[in-house]
Structures are given as structure tokens and as C-alpha cells.
Amino acid sequence: MRKFSFLIIASLALGVPNARSQKQLMVKVNQPKADIQPTMWGVFFEDINLGADGGIYAEMVKNRSFEFFRPLMGWAVKRKAEGDVLVVNRKDVNTANPRYLRVTANNASKGDIELVNEGFRGMGIKKDLRYDFSFMYHQQQPGVKLTVELLDANGKSIGGTTITPQESGDAWHKATASFNATATELKGKLKITIEGNGIIDLDMISMFPGDTWKNRPGGMRADMVQLLADMKPGFIRFPGGCIVEGFDLSQRYQWKKTIGPVEERQLLINRWNFEFAHRPTPDYFQTFGLGFFEYFQLAEDIGAEPLPILNCGMACQFNSAEVATLDELDPYVQDALDLIEFANGDVSTKWGKVRSDMGHPTPFNLKMMGVGNENWGPQYVERLKIFTKAIKSKYPDFKLVNSSGTDPNGERFDYLNNELRKMNADIIDEHYYRKPEWFFENAKRYDSYPRNGSKIFGGEYAAQSDKTVSVDNRNCWLTALSEAAFMTGLERNADVVNMASYAPLFAHADGWQWTPDLIWVNNLKSYGTPDYYVQQLFSLNKGNKVVPITLNNDVVAGQDSLYAAAAIDTKTSELIIKLVNASNKAQETSLSLDGVKKLASQGSLTVLQSDDLMAVNSFNDPAKVSPKQSTIKLSGKKINLSAAPYSFSVLRVKI
Ligand code: AHR
């Protein structure tokens, strides 16, 4: 890694023979080129790296419903006598949630029967915060008492309460109790002690912190959602990623199984559970507590357009490559049609009513959907055609995102690119997991793309400081800087590129499979990487029209290691300049503005910079590489901007 970074620094420095001489940039403010879509910069969400279960979905109990392959995974059970804690399976009467625990207490005293849950790599517990504990139960007659306690890493109690379930009979009931924690702990646990006489069946043993996003019961981690909201993303793509495809078709993501009461959402293994032999995660499952309703709600909360991606009748082609035959594709296509009705349908429609019953009678206003994730080959094209015909004939204005495979070039890409353009695809999804050099070198990628026809969605990208799926990849300043350089090219070509999102989004420090990732979390904290701040700066400073910015009459895409894009925001009458200096020397620039009568006397300058290309943010130093804002004085119609070594600057000025 060190050797690699030296090579990069050296080659970038070589590109700056005379770095101190002032570079004359020309900005044609009066020649707006293209509209920048409100969707331009968005986020890509996938349940990878404990992104959903164990991450943004704030449930603290792992395997709350005993449905993991090993029913007691995550639980330590202390029994008084053989058979007094049994896993019962009622799979013939309840396929979605077959298992529960039967606890028989026979004069049990405190300490005789205990259930301890380890959480997702421990439980993050905050002093004085309220914790909402609940479970479903069923008993013939009352007789047992449950003591619920939070434990610190040493097993000491740090808060708790007792519950004596009162209901009896055949029906299942829900019991709830809330209490405050008395200490902060990163690696806490939950202990339940059962005392008394009786037989009680327990299921959906659950605990949520009291500070979820918007204080929704059973909701999401507020700090993680806030980091997304702070980006003001134009869209949110969900639920992936490869998770859409599944290892085989039986493990594909099926949105209909992720809605309705949580206890009826059927658990599914997470394909990242076993994908990488070097990062096995045997306790990774999808409870779907975060399901499609919640994704739509999240999109609405953060003002992002929802972009669901659906399975196209093909499982992951790196894994099983299973396909549904064309004459068995109907249920897949129907899922897509029904999803549009679920999101947008009137409450009188079947799926609109389901949405309404879940608490959202007004439509979610879904405008687009992806068909297939990273699928490729003629098998993809023939399935895609069937989906497209069915969806477009019912919803002609609905936009479809099509896959161009796993890589931004090569035979598979060329084949698909050609076929999709022949089909007049609305939006083509391109993925680039490449080294930083690729990002610097490809800042002009879209300058030569066809201006008419299909639009581009840079659906997944991230610079890899080592190589794809290497555990040594770091979210360092070099990766972020190279992405910023590349993104100036996306913005310059906003007439072609309508959407872009970094991937993956979240990673749990103790439970990741894939790195690099935009945001890192543990059970208590979260922080944005330098790459996060690049994404955020582009998104918050989007503007709505591209204007030309040139150096020596050419686009600014690598000359003297400079990369630039310019936009105006016609609503606020501002000019927005983004300038990347990828060299190790400060560079003086002078911007001449064509078509501006008068400039404000000051502008706002935000700079992301580090002299160390290997610098990373961390839990202890989350803002090591983070934006610094200042005001710069302006006079006349020229702007002199000094770009620090290895910097990304955003200038906003009223025009
Ligand atoms: O972002 C991680 C994975 O990379 C996604 O699941 C997949 O689409 C891509 O290969």
C-alpha cells in the first residue's frame, strides 16, 4: 500500500512542471450546457457489512425469533433441568415464523433459568437512554416472572426491569417494558431470567433504543440515518447490490416477504453470510425488520427518490447463475408490477391498501425501478425485454434502470451497452470498482458518450486503494480525491449522467465483509470517511445547470493535475465551482467569468484537504479529513483561487 501511494504521488507530481504559475480558467456563465437532475447524487443501500440487521435497523437482539439455521445462535441458555428450555417448530402451521422457545419453570428461582443474548457483536448501550424491551408470549396460566437486565462487558447489570406476563390462553400476546440504562457500554448483552412455576412460550424477543430515527418504535438508528440526511441525497437505491440476485433463486430478495407485521416477515440468509471465505459471517441473516415499506419511508424522510432494484429472474452469475425459464418469469414480472401499485396505487387497489394498512395511505410516488443488479449476457437481455414490455405497457412513463454488468468495459459491457441502446433503455447502470488511477484517468469518460438516447446511472463506484474485495482497501484521502476528480466529469456530463452513487454505503467495524465503504459504524458511533465528504460536497453543491469551465480551451480533466466542474444554481443565483488539485503542490488559479455583470464581494469556500494521501478518518478522529469552510473576499469579475496540494475545493459565489 505504501509503495503504491508513492507511485501515485510521484506520477501526479510529474504532471505539475510549473505548479506555481497561475492557471487561467475560463467559466462561461452565460452558456448553460445541461440541466443537472435533482437525482444527480444519491446513495446506494445494501444489507452488506451488517448494514441493515446489526446496523441501521436498530434491533439489538440477534436471532430474536430463533429462525437462524442454528436456532439458538446468539443465545446462551442456562437450564435448571433437561428440557426446561426447548426450541419448538410449528412449521406446518406457520411457515414465515415457525420457531419459538418453550420455557418450563418448575419452582425456578433467580439464576436457575437464564437466556443471554449477545447482540450484533455486542450491544451498544448508552447511559440514561431508555430501552424498549418486548416479546411475544403464550401461556396456559400466569405463573412466571421475567427479569430483564442489560449487562456490561464484565457481566455487571447496568439497568433492567421485571415483567409478569398476565395473559393466558391459546392466543399470542405482546408484552413490553421500558427502562433506562445506568452506564454506557459498547459490548453489552441482554439477560432474561425466568422464575416461578409455569410454561411460557416466547418469540420475537426484541429490544430497541429509545432514540431511534423520528422516535419510531422498531425503527432505525438515528445517527446512521442522519448521516444520510446530511447528504441530501437525490435518490436512494435499495436493497442492493448482489443481495437482490441471491446466491441462487431461492435466496433472491422478494419484496413481498418484507412487508406487513414484522413477526410475519420470513427470515432469509444473507448472501454475504458465506460469500467470502476470508470474511465468513455465519450469523448474518435478513429479518426484514427493515423491509420495502421502511425503505420507502426512509426515502421520503430524507427527501430522496426511491429506486428499488428487483430480481430479473436470474441469481448471481458469480455464484449459481440460476435462471428462471422464460415461461416461468410471470411471478417475477408480477412482483415488479405489484411493487408499483404498492408504492403508488390508490388505497382501493390491492397493494395500495396494503401500504395504507401499514400506515401510509398517500402514495410514495415511485418513478423508477431497476430490473436486475449486475446481470449480464443474452439471458439478461431476453428477460429484461419481457419486464420492459410488461411494465411500459401498463406504466408508459415509468423509468427503468438496466444493468450493464459488473465492469465498465470489456466484452460483457460492450455487448450489453450495444443491446441496451438498441432497446432504447431509459437508464443504464454502470459500475466501477477500480484503482484511484482509473478514476483520475476516466474523468473524461462521458465527454464522448452519445448525447441522445439512454442516460447513465453510475450506480456503484468506489476507488480501491488495493484491489476489489481486498481486505486491505482503505477509505483514504487518495481514494476520495480520485473520486472527486472523476465526479467533476460526471457533473460536466450531466446531460448524459443523471444519477450516481458510491457503494457500498455502510460497514460495521466488527462485522464487515467488503471494504472500502462510505460510512463506518460500531454499536455506539458512526463516522463519514473522506469519500463520504466528497459525496456530500457534490450533493450539497449540486446547482441545476452545468456551465463550461476550461483551461487552455479544453475541459479541466487532468491538465496540470487539475480537475474542475462549474454549475449555476438559478434559484439562488450562485455560481458553484468545484476544483480538484491532485498534485502535491499548491496551484494558483485565476477564473475569468464570461457573462457575469457583477460578482458579490465575497464567496464561500469549502475545502477538503490533507497532505497525507493515506489519511483516514476513524472513531477516534472522525473529522481528520473533513470540510473546512471560509469566506473569501472578491473584487472585480475575476476570482483568484489558490488550490492547496491534494485538495478538493468548492466555491459558491452570488452572481
Ligand atoms: O457493493 C458491493 C457489491 O458490489 C454489490 O453487492 C454488487 O452489486 C457489486 O458487485
Side-chain angles (χ1 to χ4, degrees):
M1 175 111 158
R2 281 281 153 196
K3 188 172 166 208
F4 165 69
S5 67
F6 168 74
L7 289 176
I8 285 286
I9 293 165
S11 64
L12 294 175
L14 283 176
V16 193
N18 191 7
R20 278 273 149 203
S21 59
Q22 200 181 43
K23 307 288 158 17
Q24 305 296 325
L25 300 176
M26 170 63 78
V27 187
K28 300 209 162 137
V29 181
N30 53 352
Q31 288 182 22
K33 281 279 172 229
D35 288 342
I36 299 171
Q37 298 303 318
T39 50
M40 183 73 191
W41 309 113
V43 291
F44 160 97
F45 186 96
E46 178 169 17
D47 189 4
I48 183 173
N49 302 320
L50 305 192
D53 285 285
I56 202 168
Y57 180 51
E59 173 63 83
M60 298 170 74
V61 177
K62 185 167 76 181
N63 194 11
R64 64 185 174 190
S65 189
F66 312 103
E67 306 300 342
F68 284 18
F69 288 168
R70 279 187 261 143
L72 287 175
M73 191 178 228
W75 293 92
V77 176
K78 183 173 173 201
R79 297 174 169 88
K80 182 181 178 196
E82 199 58 51
D84 58 12
V85 179
L86 285 180
V87 177
V88 181
N89 193 326
R90 58 184 157 172
K91 68 177 186 328
D92 293 336
V93 292
N94 189 336
T95 46
N97 180 4
R99 297 200 192 108
Y100 60 86
L101 272 199
R102 170 157 295 173
V103 180
T104 304
N106 199 347
N107 274 331
S109 320
K110 194 151 192 201
D112 284 343
I113 303 176
E114 289 175 355
L115 310 171
V116 177
N117 190 274
E118 66 188 23
F120 297 89
R121 311 297 186 277
M123 294 178 180
I125 296 164
K126 295 179 198 157
K127 187 172 188 286
D128 296 330
L129 185 66
R130 191 191 77 234
Y131 287 86
D132 299 327
F133 175 78
S134 67
F135 60 96
M136 299 194 69
Y137 74 95
H138 157 256
Q139 60 185 353
Q140 285 316 314
Q141 60 182 54
V144 295
K145 179 175 90 176
L146 277 70
T147 304
V148 185
E149 283 167 290
L150 295 174
L151 305 180
D152 71 9
N154 300 317
K156 187 175 147 240
S157 175
I158 52 170
T161 188
T162 60
I163 312 176
T164 304
Q166 292 301 327
E167 305 290 344
S168 54
D170 288 334
W172 284 87
H173 300 277
K174 185 169 180 178
T176 58
S178 296
F179 54 94
N180 286 9
T182 58
T184 293
E185 173 60 60
L186 179 66
K187 299 274 179 187
K189 289 183 180 176
L190 173 75
K191 181 163 98 174
I192 304 164
T193 307
I194 296 140
E195 296 168 68
N197 270 308
I199 301 175
I200 186 164
D201 295 337
L202 301 171
D203 200 4
M204 296 298 288
I205 301 177
S206 168
M207 188 169 66
F208 280 82
D211 62 350
T212 54
W213 172 253
K214 289 187 181 282
N215 295 318
R216 288 198 185 111
M220 298 192 206
R221 253 179 76 168
D223 60 329
M224 292 173 70
V225 180
Q226 191 61 55
L227 278 160
L228 302 187
D230 289 347
M231 293 170 79
K232 291 202 194 316
F235 66 89
I236 176 166
R237 168 186 174 148
F238 55 88
C242 294
I243 211 164
V244 170
E245 301 159 66
F247 177 86
D248 58 22
L249 285 172
S250 73
Q251 291 178 12
R252 74 187 189 276
Y253 196 100
Q254 297 183 61
W255 73 268
K256 287 177 182 162
K257 295 188 175 183
T258 74
I259 57 170
V262 282
E263 64 274 16
E264 291 171 19
R265 302 183 190 179
Q266 191 176 350
L267 180 117
L268 184 66
I269 191 165
N270 188 307
R271 54 108 62 215
W272 300 107
N273 178 311
F274 53 87
E275 178 67 15
F276 296 135
H278 59 282
R279 298 293 300 174
T281 317
D283 56 348
Y284 204 1
F285 291 82
Q286 301 175 81
T287 62
F288 299 117
L290 170 56
F292 259 41
F293 178 84
E294 290 77 17
Y295 280 123
F296 280 117
Q297 199 175 38
L298 172 64
E300 184 175 75
D301 287 350
I302 61 177
E305 294 289 343
L307 171 53
I309 309 285
L310 295 197
N311 186 291
C312 64
M314 300 175 78
C316 177
Q317 287 159 275
F318 286 123
N319 294 161
S320 68
E322 264 187 8
V323 294
T325 57
L326 297 185
D327 57 355
E328 288 187 0
L329 207 57
D330 277 1
Y332 294 79
V333 176
Q334 197 57 48
D335 273 359
L337 295 170
D338 290 343
L339 181 62
I340 301 173
E341 186 176 292
F342 175 73
N344 297 349
D346 183 82
V347 295
S348 62
T349 62
K350 176 180 170 192
W351 290 103
K353 178 168 180 333
V354 174
R355 180 196 72 240
S356 175
D357 289 349
M358 290 186 75
H360 204 287
T362 53
F364 282 119
N365 200 13
L366 179 67
K367 301 183 187 105
M368 56 190 169
M369 170 192 290
V371 177
N373 174 46
E374 280 184 344
N375 297 110
W376 68 77
Q379 295 74 21
Y380 173 59
V381 173
E382 56 191 355
R383 281 162 185 76
L384 180 62
K385 283 182 176 162
I386 296 172
F387 272 84
T388 307
K389 191 167 170 217
I391 296 170
K392 293 278 185 181
S393 50
K394 192 156 183 200
Y395 303 102
D397 296 331
F398 198 81
K399 297 276 181 254
L400 293 179
V401 172
N402 299 172
S403 158
S404 65
T406 54
D407 292 278
N409 48 21
E411 231 173 88
R412 283 179 191 154
F413 176 85
D414 292 342
Y415 166 76
L416 275 183
N417 195 31
N418 195 23
E419 289 298 314
L420 298 180
R421 285 177 189 278
K422 277 199 279 184
M423 283 170 67
N424 210 8
D426 295 325
I427 305 168
I428 301 178
D429 179 8
E430 298 188 354
H431 294 183
Y432 2 86
Y433 293 100
R434 290 289 189 269
K435 283 182 177 275
E437 299 97 300
W438 186 93
F439 284 85
F440 285 119
E441 284 159 10
N442 278 272
K444 284 186 173 178
R445 177 180 174 90
Y446 295 107
D447 292 358
S448 52
Y449 261 51
R451 305 332 273 181
N452 298 316
S454 305
K455 302 296 177 198
I456 297 298
F457 170 29
E460 295 184 28
Y461 62 90
Q464 315 284 299
S465 66
D466 189 22
K467 56 180 186 284
T468 319
V469 311
S470 161
V471 294
D472 293 327
N473 283 321
R474 296 284 174 269
N475 287 97
C476 60
W477 177 225
L478 172 62
T479 58
L481 192 65
S482 71
E483 288 148 10
F486 179 73
M487 289 165 76
T488 60
L490 301 186
E491 185 177 302
R492 181 172 58 250
N493 289 287
D495 54 333
V496 169
V497 183
N498 283 184
M499 305 164 77
S501 46
Y502 183 100
L505 185 57
F506 289 118
H508 191 295
D510 300 326
W512 57 271
Q513 297 79 44
W514 180 296
T515 184
D517 305 284
L518 202 62
I519 294 168
W520 284 80
V521 310
N522 62 23
N523 287 336
L524 286 175
K525 293 183 186 170
S526 44
Y527 70 86
T529 57
D531 313 72
Y532 170 86
Y533 289 113
V534 165
Q535 295 292 320
Q536 188 190 42
L537 284 178
F538 270 88
S539 183
L540 298 186
N541 298 288
K542 194 165 47 214
N544 59 0
K545 286 191 187 300
V546 181
V547 294
I549 180 167
T550 51
L551 173 60
N552 304 326
N553 291 321
D554 199 0
V555 295
V556 193
Q559 302 121 292
D560 297 336
S561 303
L562 290 175
Y563 301 80
I568 50 174
D569 188 327
T570 53
K571 287 181 223 113
T572 59
S573 298
E574 279 174 300
L575 170 66
I576 306 166
I577 305 286
K578 303 190 182 76
L579 181 64
V580 172
N581 176 10
S583 79
N584 59 356
K585 300 274 187 324
Q587 300 212 56
E588 306 305 326
T589 67
S590 167
L591 294 121
S592 305
L593 312 183
D594 239 20
V596 171
K597 288 205 184 98
K598 197 165 181 283
L599 269 188
S601 58
Q602 59 182 40
S604 134
L605 180 67
T606 310
V607 180
L608 198 53
Q609 195 273 339
S610 172
D611 287 335
D612 178 6
L613 286 172
M614 294 300 114
V616 294
N617 292 343
S618 62
F619 291 108
N620 290 334
D621 198 353
K624 184 167 183 169
V625 185
S626 57
K628 309 279 178 299
Q629 211 181 339
S630 62
T631 300
I632 61 164
K633 295 255 173 281
L634 304 169
S635 66
K637 285 201 313 184
K638 274 207 168 176
I639 302 174
N640 291 326
L641 194 60
S642 174
Y646 303 140
S647 64
F648 170 39
S649 308
V650 181
L651 174 70
R652 291 187 81 110
V653 55
K654 285 264 182 206
I655 47 172

